Amino acid sequence: MAVNTWKIDSKHALQFRSVNGQFKFKLTTYFTVLVSLAFLSFLLLSARQVYAGTGVEPPPATPELIEQLRKGGFVIYFRHATTELTGVAEGAEDLTKCETQRQLSDAGRELAATIGKAIHVMNIPIGKVWSSPFCRCKETAHLIFGRFEIDKTLYFALNVSDEERKRQAEAMRRMLATAPPAGTNTVIVSHSANLREATGIWPKPEGTAYIFKPGASNSNGNSSEAVAKILPNEWSQFASRF
């Protein structure tokens, strides 16, 4: 009984013969390798573009972006300000006792206060301010904005189960995609891992902010896009223009 056959010939070409022997073709190994590499590149590109914010850093903020922030319509994600390098092991914290948690350093407190002054000087309108229940996030939010509301889905993502981490990431994507009331910006103060789980972006250093535009189109329907990154010391630089 005739069967389809494949073989490698002496010239390193891949040959195919159909069942009836009437259809043949061959590919050189070089061409095969090129096709394989092209396919692999396609897979990698597709994986990076699952949604806007797939680990690709957005561009640095510009004066034009600051002017847009002054009109509202964005979600600003802050990683908490600089913390002490020492403290209890992650996962051993008691949320009711700040002394059991990694806390802001004196430099972190000064940094957060400086950012708050810069935002005030630039008259950037702030609506809701959501914070992780961890003290380092709550203190950051308080020092920058003077107020906050706790959202439990912002709990440190590395200290939860895989199932809960996925739920947190979905909740985060919804928050980033929710447009704030007209003329305001929504703020989220949380951890590095939470943003990475939701968007693939790892916010570094501590105190860094990412600006998201709700409603921006992307490849899988998630309606938000990371449009800019603002380093901690850049807020004062922008404010000096006012």
Side-chain angles (χ1 to χ4, degrees):
M1 181 179 64
V3 295
N4 294 335
T5 61
W6 294 84
K7 71 176 183 177
I8 303 294
D9 65 15
S10 60
K11 295 182 178 180
H12 303 287
L14 180 64
Q15 295 186 348
F16 173 79
R17 181 185 297 274
S18 69
V19 173
N20 58 21
Q22 295 180 352
F23 177 68
K24 303 178 182 179
F25 71 85
K26 66 179 181 178
L27 296 173
T28 66
T29 53
Y30 301 109
F31 182 77
T32 303
V33 169
L34 288 176
V35 170
S36 300
L37 289 175
F39 182 67
L40 179 60
S41 298
F42 171 78
L43 291 178
L44 291 174
L45 180 61
S46 299
R48 287 171 67 90
Q49 296 182 345
V50 173
Y51 54 84
T54 53
V56 179
E57 286 282 315
T62 62
E64 291 72 23
L65 185 277
I66 296 298
E67 286 302 320
Q68 293 180 47
L69 281 176
R70 282 160 49 84
K71 298 176 184 177
F74 295 86
V75 177
I76 307 172
Y77 186 100
F78 274 94
R79 182 184 177 186
H80 57 75
T82 314
T83 57
E84 299 284 359
L85 296 179
T86 58
V88 298
E90 298 289 2
E93 304 92 340
D94 180 345
L95 292 183
T96 66
K97 299 178 181 179
C98 291
E99 63 269 21
T100 68
Q101 306 172 35
R102 196 169 91 244
Q103 300 186 57
L104 296 188
S105 64
D106 290 340
R109 294 184 179 95
E110 182 178 355
L111 175 65
T114 299
I115 292 173
K117 291 176 182 177
I119 290 175
H120 177 74
V121 167
M122 292 185 288
N123 196 28
I124 294 175
I126 303 299
K128 288 283 189 180
V129 179
W130 299 106
S131 174
S132 158
F134 281 75
C135 290
R136 56 186 177 271
C137 296
K138 294 189 293 182
E139 188 173 12
T140 298
H142 175 73
L143 289 169
I144 298 177
F145 304 104
R147 57 188 171 84
F148 61 86
E149 296 179 53
I150 293 176
D151 188 318
K152 293 182 179 180
T153 65
L154 300 177
Y155 187 96
F156 188 37
L158 293 185
N159 289 357
V160 299
S161 66
D162 290 344
E163 182 178 350
E164 176 62 16
R165 191 174 299 117
K166 291 179 182 179
R167 190 182 74 82
Q168 286 182 326
E170 292 173 358
M172 174 68 72
R173 287 191 283 271
R174 287 194 297 271
M175 294 178 75
L176 296 174
T178 301
T184 68
N185 299 286
T186 297
V187 172
I188 300 170
V189 183
S190 191
H191 310 269
S192 57
N194 295 62
L195 189 63
R196 184 182 184 184
E197 291 295 326
T199 69
I201 296 173
W202 188 274
K204 295 182 178 181
E206 293 174 315
T208 296
Y210 286 82
I211 313 301
F212 288 83
K213 181 63 176 177
S217 61
N218 52 51
S219 60
N220 76 341
N222 289 317
S223 188
S224 68
E225 180 183 3
V227 297
K229 173 181 180 178
I230 304 181
L231 293 172
N233 64 330
E234 291 179 331
W235 291 99
S236 293
Q237 295 173 15
F238 286 122
S240 67
R241 301 169 179 265
F242 289 82

